[in-house]
Amino acid sequence: MGGFSIGCCCRRRKSKSWRSRDGRSKDHIMAHDGIKTVEVEKLLEGSSGSALRICIVTWNMNGQVSYRDLAEIVGNDRKFDLLVVGLQEVPRVNVAQLLQEALVETHSLMGESVMQSLQLYVFGPKNYELFLEEFRVDKYAVGGFGGLIRRKKGAVAVRIGFKGVHMLFICCHLSAHACNVEERNSELRHISRSLFSKNHNPYSRPSQITVWLGDLNYRIEGLDTLPAKDLIHHDLHGMLTSKDQLLQEAERGQIFSGFSEGNLEFKPTYKYDVGTSIYDTSHKVRMPSWTDRILFKIERHGDIDAMLHSYESIDKIHSSDHKPVKALLSLKPN
């Protein structure tokens, strides 16, 4: 896949400096070997200019759906050109239709990539045909029979050219359980090598930005569940990021080399008792974890700047054991 890789080199990488609108270097960004933690920049009124705004949502639905929850995810303040929604464990319901009903006044479905319960939708403005240059889809399955119980593992992807910007969105659902770190790492590498590898057009323009979203299933480990819950209860969950498997594996240079992510200021998004905002009280007492993530990478020769305006969980949704995660990106040619 031209210019796209998840990264498996163990050599330490130097952090790339991010700059604000006025060109000042952001020295306060915390660097990880494979992931740069990017500070959120407030979206200023009337500052869009030539920037392309993209709202990105990921949510493991746990086999449940309601129009009210999907409308909450979409929101009423739609300061975006494109809406990208990645879903895992989707029930046998026409989710695209429900999302379109919620967006009917402002946006239309441009396309989708679906593999059973793993689904990715892209919505654009009503006149999106005037600006759409490319829309291709692909998928890659991993694991065994998860699809039979609506827990399909793997990835679905969309490659899109819109208003002169070429983008790749990958929605994935990786193997569960804290002990399966290496399995998740391997799945990421297989997915990145396989997507869009068939019928490759050497003359097509490579993606300028790659966005990964989904239930990546990396967990918090290295401490007991009760102390972790106590830290979260006292709004000290930031202290748990050093125990996050995803950041640890990135620091080892195993995954997501060169990618960026917003700061994990929201609470871990898994696992909740369904119908509540209370962490797992079952006999398993699972460790709260940031399983649901959105990461992005400006590819080499991307010639665009990316600015992150928000990175948050939607805590008022209670129908799943996961909370949705939402981000707002602005892309602008440099």
Side-chain angles (χ1 to χ4, degrees):
M1 301 176 57
F4 164 54
S5 66
I6 200 69
C8 58
C9 175
C10 294
R11 184 179 62 186
R12 296 193 64 84
R13 294 170 57 93
K14 293 183 179 179
S15 173
K16 178 181 177 181
S17 176
W18 281 71
R19 296 183 178 274
S20 60
R21 286 189 184 91
D22 58 7
R24 291 177 297 176
S25 176
K26 290 191 170 297
D27 296 328
H28 54 275
I29 290 174
M30 185 176 71
H32 299 283
D33 197 344
I35 296 175
K36 295 179 286 291
T37 302
V38 182
E39 183 175 294
V40 166
E41 294 277 352
K42 184 177 179 181
L43 182 63
L44 302 176
E45 292 293 333
S47 62
S48 61
S50 59
L52 178 65
R53 291 179 182 171
I54 308 169
C55 180
I56 305 158
V57 179
T58 180
W59 185 27
N60 183 319
M61 302 178 74
N62 192 34
Q64 306 295 321
V65 66
S66 76
Y67 174 80
R68 184 174 63 180
D69 286 346
L70 294 175
E72 180 67 38
I73 285 176
V74 168
N76 295 317
D77 188 15
R78 298 173 191 167
K79 297 178 180 178
F80 50 79
D81 300 290
L82 301 179
L83 172 66
V84 179
V85 181
L87 303 170
Q88 309 86 44
E89 297 190 20
V90 179
R92 300 181 191 275
V93 175
N94 190 340
V95 173
Q97 181 177 338
L98 294 175
L99 285 168
Q100 184 61 84
E101 289 175 7
L103 289 159
V104 64
E105 295 181 359
T106 57
H107 290 73
S108 297
L109 179 64
M110 297 171 65
E112 62 189 49
S113 183
V114 173
M115 183 170 63
Q116 299 180 26
S117 58
L118 183 55
Q119 305 180 6
L120 180 62
Y121 300 98
V122 181
F123 293 84
K126 294 286 189 177
N127 63 344
Y128 73 82
E129 295 94 342
L130 299 175
F131 308 101
L132 184 63
E133 300 156 20
E134 177 187 27
F135 197 100
R136 298 169 55 205
V137 303
D138 202 2
K139 58 188 177 182
Y140 182 80
V142 301
F145 301 101
L148 297 178
I149 55 174
R150 306 300 290 176
R151 293 180 181 176
K152 187 68 176 178
K153 298 298 196 297
V156 288
V158 167
R159 187 186 291 274
I160 179 174
F162 187 79
K163 289 189 174 181
V165 180
H166 290 257
M167 301 160 278
L168 173 60
F169 298 97
I170 302 170
C171 172
C172 67
H173 191 187
L174 305 181
S175 292
H177 308 304
C179 60
N180 288 328
V181 176
E182 292 301 331
E183 187 172 349
R184 287 189 281 276
N185 291 352
S186 178
E187 289 169 353
L188 283 171
R189 296 183 194 117
H190 282 293
I191 290 167
S192 66
R193 285 196 299 263
S194 300
L195 288 174
F196 297 104
S197 61
K198 299 178 181 178
N199 303 318
H200 175 65
N201 181 359
Y203 301 103
S204 64
R205 185 174 176 182
S207 297
Q208 296 164 275
I209 182 171
T210 297
V211 179
W212 280 76
L213 59 148
D215 180 358
L216 277 68
N217 251 325
Y218 288 90
R219 309 300 175 93
I220 292 172
E221 66 173 356
L223 76 167
D224 293 332
T225 303
L226 291 181
K229 287 185 175 180
D230 191 56
L231 287 173
I232 297 169
H233 178 72
H234 290 93
D235 290 328
L236 297 173
H237 44 275
M239 298 176 66
L240 297 174
T241 57
S242 64
K243 306 294 185 180
D244 177 72
Q245 290 177 340
L246 178 59
L247 295 181
Q248 290 175 346
E249 292 305 297
E251 288 171 353
R252 289 179 58 219
Q254 297 299 301
I255 55 173
F256 288 117
S257 179
F259 276 76
S260 299
E261 184 184 27
N263 195 32
L264 294 172
E265 295 183 353
F266 51 87
K267 295 179 180 180
T269 54
Y270 174 84
K271 174 183 170 73
Y272 290 88
D273 290 342
V274 174
T276 76
S277 285
I278 300 171
Y279 286 109
D280 186 21
T281 59
S282 73
H283 68 281
K284 295 183 178 180
V285 195
R286 292 178 181 85
M287 172 69 76
S289 296
W290 286 287
T291 55
D292 311 280
R293 312 288 274 267
I294 300 171
L295 304 101
F296 61 95
K297 177 182 181 181
I298 303 298
E299 300 293 353
R300 188 172 57 178
H301 310 305
D303 296 327
I304 58 172
D305 291 324
M307 187 171 293
L308 182 67
H309 298 297
S310 66
Y311 190 42
E312 60 193 358
S313 61
I314 307 177
D315 295 337
K316 62 178 63 176
I317 290 180
H318 302 114
S319 58
S320 172
D321 53 357
H322 292 251
K323 301 297 185 184
V325 172
K326 189 173 187 177
L328 181 63
L329 275 175
S330 285
L331 306 179
K332 191 173 184 179
N334 59 23

